[in-house]
């Protein structure tokens, strides 16, 4: 079922040569709030070598669509992406941190637990 399936329904049938209709009933389809947002990462563990790529995937256990996604890193302003998948190509010094996925159905919002990403081989900022 979809939300637009809400409405009044009746059924009819031919009885002899007469058409007979049932009384109409009202059907209301309710949306399911977004819940159970979780992250997975490749390579597992959230550790990636400097210059390599890392893929984060956002999954939703329940929620009536259409769903919109946004990716966030602790300390960054604007969202990093808006699809269920975020790829960090050529991971750099600034890509380490906690990542989170937020999902909205237009009425409710749910977010994943933060996932820590570590870029191995980063330059020590105090050494520069």
């Amino acid at each position: 079922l979809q939300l637009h399936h809400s409405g009044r329904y009746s059924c009819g049938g031919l009885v002899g040569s007469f058409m007979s209709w049932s009384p109409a009933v009202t059907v209301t389809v309710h949306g399911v709030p977004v819940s159970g947002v979780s992250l997975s990462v490749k390579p597992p563990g959230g550790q990636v070598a400097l210059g390599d790529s890392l893929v984060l995937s956002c999954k939703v256990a329940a929620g009536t669509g259409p769903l919109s996604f946004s990716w966030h890193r602790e300390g960054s302003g604007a969202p990093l992406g808006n699809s269920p998948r975020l790829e960090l190509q050529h991971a750099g010094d600034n890509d380490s941190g906690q990542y989170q996925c937020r999902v909205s159905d237009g009425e409710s919002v749910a977010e994943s637990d933060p996932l820590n990403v570590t870029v191995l081989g980063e330059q020590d900022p105090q050494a520069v």
Side-chain angles (χ1 to χ4, degrees), residues 58-99:
C58 187
K59 294 185 172 84
V60 179
T64 304
L67 301 177
S68 61
F69 295 80
S70 64
W71 288 94
H72 304 269
R73 185 179 69 236
E74 182 182 38
S76 69
L80 305 171
N82 60 2
S83 73
R85 186 173 178 265
L86 177 68
E87 183 170 358
L88 303 177
Q89 297 181 350
H90 312 293
D93 291 335
N94 297 324
D95 290 325
S96 286
Q98 290 192 329
Y99 286 76

Side-chain angles (χ1 to χ4, degrees), residues 6-9 24-28:
S6 294
R8 292 186 52 81
Y9 290 85
V25 296
T26 300
V27 174
T28 303

Side-chain angles (χ1 to χ4, degrees), residues 18-42:
F18 298 100
M19 189 71 163
S20 181
W21 290 92
S22 71
V25 296
T26 300
V27 174
T28 303
V29 180
H30 297 280
V32 176
V34 177
S35 65
V37 178
S38 62
L39 295 183
S40 60
V41 61
K42 288 183 183 177

